[in-house]
Amino acid sequence: CVSAVMSTAPAIALRRRGEARHLHALGRRQPAASGPEALLIERERELEVLGEAVTRVAGGQGAVVVLAAPAGLGKTALLDHAADEASLAGCHVRRAAPGPLERHFGFGVVRALLEGALREASDERRARLLEGAAAPAGALLRDGAVPGADTTMAIAHSVLWLCSALAEEAPLLLVVDDAHWADRPSLEVLAYLA
């Protein structure tokens, strides 16, 4: 089972394989937070890495965190915590949680992450978000036009420009829970963004 917290730019990798020694973080160390997250027992290092990522994103830098662990070990709770912290820090948080039936729904995770941002936008704001290289993402997200198999990287580049436009307004955090259920085109787009 894999879950991810993403923004565009450098990587922070987090792998859970029984011990925290497999964690690698970029940037300055922050003390582990206290409060409701204290319910995440024995997750101090994970909370620290997620906190560092949120701090980087809120500060206008990029970060990628991947949580990999068997089912039932609290990845969703960690992602919820990161999303809450990012919201409190002024980030726009977009979330997706694909299920097993969505695996064959082309660009389903990308749609779940970004369709709402376009749907909620005024006509003027939507036009600005979809200017230039972001336009093909608009055809997918606004009109539901699924591109051919050979155009996934072009869509990925377009989604990158859309995310960049969204991040100009406020830092953008993309959260994907249960990424192992994601469709292949969405995974390729997310890899491109990372």
Side-chain angles (χ1 to χ4, degrees), residues 83-162:
D84 291 345
E85 291 297 312
S87 291
L88 290 172
C91 298
H92 286 302
V93 178
R94 308 300 307 179
R95 297 187 73 150
L101 298 177
E102 298 170 81
R103 184 166 249 171
H104 302 291
F105 179 50
F107 296 96
V109 170
V110 171
R111 290 176 179 192
L113 288 169
L114 299 170
E115 270 181 342
L118 292 182
R119 188 175 48 251
E120 297 160 3
S122 66
D123 290 341
E124 180 181 310
R125 180 174 172 245
R126 188 179 310 110
R128 185 184 53 75
L129 290 171
L130 296 175
E131 285 178 348
L140 170 68
L141 300 169
R142 190 186 59 230
D143 305 329
V146 179
D150 294 338
T151 60
T152 301
M153 283 300 103
I155 291 296
H157 186 70
S158 183
V159 168
L160 174 66
W161 280 98
L162 172 59

Side-chain angles (χ1 to χ4, degrees), residues 6-31:
M6 300 181 65
S7 174
T8 54
I12 294 177
L14 172 59
R15 293 187 150 269
R16 178 99 174 144
R17 292 198 178 159
E19 294 185 46
R21 68 174 183 227
H22 298 286
L23 303 176
H24 302 283
L26 301 177
R28 212 176 58 158
R29 289 184 168 254
Q30 302 287 329

Side-chain angles (χ1 to χ4, degrees), residues 3-5 14 30-41 43-55 65 67 74-91 93 95 173 175 177:
S3 300
V5 175
L14 172 59
Q30 302 287 329
S34 61
E37 65 276 4
L39 298 175
L40 295 167
I41 298 169
R43 293 304 187 123
E44 294 82 11
R45 181 64 178 139
E46 289 88 341
L47 291 170
E48 180 182 347
V49 170
L50 289 168
E52 289 173 2
V54 168
T55 299
V65 177
L67 303 173
K75 294 179 303 299
T76 299
L78 287 166
L79 293 176
D80 289 345
H81 171 76
D84 291 345
E85 291 297 312
S87 291
L88 290 172
C91 298
V93 178
R95 297 187 73 150
L173 184 74
V175 179
D177 195 2

